[in-house]
């Protein structure tokens, strides 16, 4: 059985079922999600390998070879048509044209389920999905449940990495107009014990961890790589449970009265992923699967769903591909764009650029064109590049320009300085993906270095020449 078969047996059927990694009903063979590639704008749907099975990631890998792909639709498996697509502007604008949010890279969150490769939805700040016209989702003081499987190591303190019930007009329409799972370290409203991250409930104008705002110490800080989070609500009552999605059972973090001012609820029935109800889009996180139900699921039903998630055996897999990098070595990165191949990735002060460098260049320039490979400051499965001439300074992106800066030790710096190489997009060398923004790669544009996406609102995101500008031949450093 799948999670939604279990909810059905419990009398609380799924009314929305979203996953890019697997079918959530044992009989489901339909599309899980749709991707669009940049090379020709073509789209394709990814389905399970077999009924009830894991996503056929190989279809995506073939379709997206030598280009970049975005997740354009996360299909609703419940049959109610509650698909998630690019979130529109609301109280806040997203970064794309006309205030839309970004779509997620199709390759930002690789995992395995029972040994088979699949991809989650890696939400960078600015990324969001939504459906404002739904079918069967709770409204008013209605009763519902939901769960999500998330990456416990991917979060921040911004508002709001959510999955669940929100406003249909994309704006903050007042307290009690939302009921969604939140994950992260935003401590503006409620907190749990320790420094987070926490699972909380976004009920609008508040992330709640218990019966009211502020500290609710029964809500623990999470350290699992894969997290199961559940929220359920009915008149006068709500509950929140969570656990390790890769082993063991769920614990109840809260079950009791609704916060003052949040009863009755005024749910509107839109569905959001990765954003707040008003399209607040500064948060980050990774979503693998989740559902919303009709009715208040019993703890026993949720326990069976957790057992099903554990049996799916979520596990990590490599974030990199292509030529291997050796930690501790010095490297140079040669441009592969025709007409620019005498240029290497260099820096002039804090500016990252490309310059013509050769063995007869000055020692200063050779050092400016050489980089020490370090384990990724923000994720040791990827890499950071330390300047050879300025020890303790690393390449990081800032407002999507590449810069060389001294580490201030912050989570933000470490993540901005972490990059995941993959086989070169143009078939040569390596393309260097930003860990925190997997739609973005080291790219030279007008001989300046950027973390650029293959299409987008910035000049340096131009699709023309993207694969060449974003592919680099890596070899032993000049210095
Ligand atoms: O409740 C927290 C956030 O507050 C909501 O997600 C958003 O709509 C509002 O800004
Ligand atoms: O480069 C994009 C973002 O710009 C970085 O993550 C952040 O540090 C800066 O605001
Ligand atoms: O960086 C040099 C060139 O500038 C790039 O190849 C091109 O995309 C841009 O015009």
């Amino acid at each position: 059985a799948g999670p939604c078969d279990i909810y059905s047996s419990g009398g609380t059927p799924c009314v929305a079922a979203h996953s890019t990694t697997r079918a959530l009903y044992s009989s489901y063979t339909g599309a899980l999600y749709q991707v669009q590639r940049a090379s020709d704008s073509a789209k394709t749907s990814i389905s399970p390998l077999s009924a009830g099975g894991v996503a056929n990631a190989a279809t995506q890998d073939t379709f997206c070879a030598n280009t970049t792909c975005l997740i354009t639709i996360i299909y609703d498996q419940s049959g109610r048509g509650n698909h998630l697509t690019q979130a529109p502007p609301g109280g806040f604008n997203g970064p794309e044209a006309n205030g839309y949010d970004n779509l997620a890279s199709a390759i930002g969150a690789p995992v395995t389920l029972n040994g088979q490769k699949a991809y989650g939805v890696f939400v960078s700040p600015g990324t969001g999905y939504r459906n404002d016209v739904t079918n069967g989702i709770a409204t008013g003081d209605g009763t519902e449940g939901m769960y999500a499987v998330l990456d416990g190591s991917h979060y921040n303190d911004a508002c709001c990495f959510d999955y669940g019930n929100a406003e249909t007009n994309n704006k903050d329409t007042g307290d009690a107009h939302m009921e969604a799972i939140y994950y992260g370290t935003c401590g503006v409203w409620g907190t749990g014990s320790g420094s987070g991250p926490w699972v909380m409930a976004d009920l609008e104008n508040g992330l709640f961890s218990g019966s009211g705002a502020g500290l609710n110490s029964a809500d623990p800080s999470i350290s699992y790589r894969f997290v199961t989070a559940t929220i359920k609500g009915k008149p006068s009552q709500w509950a929140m449970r969570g656990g390790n999605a890769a082993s063991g059972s769920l614990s109840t973090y809260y079950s009791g009265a609704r916060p003052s001012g949040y009863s009755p609820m005024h749910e509107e029935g839109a569905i959001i992923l990765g954003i707040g109800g008003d399209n607040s889009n500064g948060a980050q996180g990774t979503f693998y699967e989740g559902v919303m139900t009709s009715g208040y699921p019993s703890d026993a039903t949720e326990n069976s769903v957790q057992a099903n998630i554990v049996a799916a055996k979520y596990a990590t897999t490599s974030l990199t591909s292509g030529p291997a990098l050796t930690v501790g070595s010095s490297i140079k990165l040669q441009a592969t764009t025709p007409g620019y191949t005498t240029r290497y990735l260099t820096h002039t002060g804090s500016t990252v650029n490309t310059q013509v460098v050769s063995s007869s260049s000055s020692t200063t320039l050779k050092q400016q064109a050489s980089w020490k490979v370090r384990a990724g400051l923000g994720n040791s499965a990827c890499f950071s590049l330390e300047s050879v001439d300025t020890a303790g300074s690393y390449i990081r992106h800032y407002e999507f320009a590449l810069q060389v800066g001294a580490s201030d030790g912050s989570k933000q710096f470490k993540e901005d300085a972490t990059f995941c190489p993959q086989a070169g997009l143009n078939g040569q060398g390596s393309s260097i993906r930003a860990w925190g923004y997997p739609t973005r790669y080291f790219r030279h544009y007008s001989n300046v270095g950027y973390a650029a996406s293959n299409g987008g609102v910035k000049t340096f995101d131009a699709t023309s020449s993207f694969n060449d500008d974003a592919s680099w031949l890596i070899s032993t450093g000049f210095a």
Side-chain angles (χ1 to χ4, degrees):
C4 287
D5 304 308
I6 296 166
Y7 279 113
S8 269
S9 307
T12 52
C14 293
V15 286
H18 301 114
S19 177
T20 54
T21 62
R22 64 173 182 143
L24 300 175
Y25 294 83
S26 62
S27 62
Y28 190 77
T29 54
L32 300 173
Y33 63 107
Q34 182 195 67
V35 297
Q36 181 172 31
R37 65 185 176 202
S39 51
D40 61 358
S41 300
K43 296 172 176 171
T44 199
S45 289
I46 311 300
S47 297
L49 288 161
S50 58
V54 174
N56 189 344
T59 325
Q60 175 185 311
D61 291 340
T62 302
F63 183 78
C64 301
N66 295 109
T67 186
T68 55
C69 274
L70 299 171
I71 297 173
T72 37
I73 304 176
I74 305 164
Y75 289 107
D76 172 19
Q77 302 175 29
S78 79
R80 289 179 177 268
N82 292 324
H83 314 309
L84 295 173
T85 58
Q86 186 170 22
F92 295 91
N93 281 341
E96 292 284 2
N98 304 314
Y100 275 72
D101 290 350
N102 294 136
L103 294 166
S105 161
I107 58 166
V111 286
T112 60
L113 282 73
N114 273 306
Q116 287 166 321
K117 191 171 186 190
Y119 294 99
V121 184
F122 190 103
V123 170
S124 308
T127 303
Y129 292 83
R130 193 167 193 126
N131 185 330
D132 285 331
V133 186
T134 62
N135 172 334
I137 305 297
T139 57
D141 205 18
T143 298
E144 66 182 350
M146 61 194 79
Y147 85 87
V149 176
L150 308 169
D151 178 345
S153 69
H154 186 206
Y155 58 85
N156 69 7
D157 62 3
C159 174
C160 289
F161 180 73
D162 286 354
Y163 173 72
N165 193 328
E167 292 92 341
T168 53
N169 71 352
N170 318 312
K171 295 186 175 152
D172 179 350
T173 53
D175 296 1
H177 284 248
M178 293 178 63
E179 183 161 66
I181 294 166
Y182 165 82
Y183 185 72
T185 51
C186 181
V188 173
W189 295 282
T191 59
S193 62
S195 52
W198 308 284
V199 177
M200 294 192 278
D202 190 342
L203 304 180
E204 189 52 283
N205 299 312
L207 302 176
F208 291 95
S209 51
S211 61
L215 169 66
N216 292 286
S217 46
D219 187 24
S221 286
I222 301 277
S223 57
Y224 311 121
R225 172 61 175 78
F226 296 100
V227 172
T228 308
T230 78
I231 300 276
K232 51 189 168 182
K234 60 184 180 183
S236 309
Q237 191 183 333
W238 77 282
M240 172 169 77
R241 307 176 73 212
N244 182 344
S247 84
S249 53
L250 296 177
S251 301
T252 298
Y253 298 161
Y254 180 72
S255 180
R258 288 196 179 273
S260 160
Y262 289 80
S263 192
M265 293 290 286
H266 306 286
E267 291 145 16
E268 298 191 22
I271 306 173
I272 50 172
L273 172 60
I275 48 178
D278 57 5
N279 197 43
S280 295
N281 52 51
Q284 64 185 28
T286 295
F287 175 91
Y288 300 107
E289 60 175 77
V291 312
M292 300 177 69
T293 69
S294 167
Y296 196 84
S298 68
D299 284 3
T301 295
E302 290 175 341
N303 294 345
S304 300
V305 168
Q306 164 67 3
N308 177 279
I309 294 165
V310 170
K313 285 199 165 42
Y314 274 92
T316 57
T317 188
S318 178
L319 284 168
T320 63
S321 66
L325 291 186
T326 306
V327 169
S329 67
S330 170
I331 59 168
K332 58 180 181 291
L333 296 94
Q334 181 184 6
T336 65
T337 307
Y340 295 87
T341 56
T342 54
R343 290 180 168 267
Y344 293 81
L345 194 74
T346 50
H347 76 103
T348 305
S350 63
T351 301
V352 174
N353 48 28
T354 62
Q355 298 181 60
V356 177
V357 190
S358 71
S359 53
S360 51
S361 296
S362 69
T363 302
T364 302
L365 183 56
K366 285 199 251 185
Q367 289 187 344
Q368 288 169 338
S370 300
W371 308 94
K372 275 265 159 72
V373 178
R374 303 296 184 201
L377 297 174
N379 185 323
S380 59
C382 295
F383 300 93
S384 294
L385 294 180
E386 185 178 7
S387 166
V388 160
D389 61 44
T390 317
S393 283
Y394 297 84
I395 299 182
R396 60 90 55 95
H397 58 85
Y398 190 84
E399 292 175 355
F400 307 123
L402 296 181
Q403 299 184 344
V404 170
S407 175
D408 60 9
S410 65
K411 179 172 179 287
Q412 184 74 62
F413 183 94
K414 290 175 182 171
E415 294 181 355
D416 290 349
T418 299
F419 299 92
C420 308
Q422 65 186 64
L425 286 166
N426 72 355
Q428 298 180 60
S430 302
S431 290
I432 320 283
R433 199 169 73 241
W435 173 81
Y437 288 85
T439 58
R440 295 184 171 275
Y441 294 81
F442 274 21
R443 189 239 179 111
H444 63 95
Y445 191 86
S446 297
N447 304 325
V448 176
Y450 295 96
S453 57
N454 195 359
V457 294
K458 301 279 177 55
T459 347
F460 55 77
D461 292 332
T463 53
S464 166
S465 188
F466 185 86
N467 277 8
D468 287 339
D469 294 351
S471 298
W472 305 83
L473 287 171
I474 298 180
S475 58
T476 302
F478 289 108

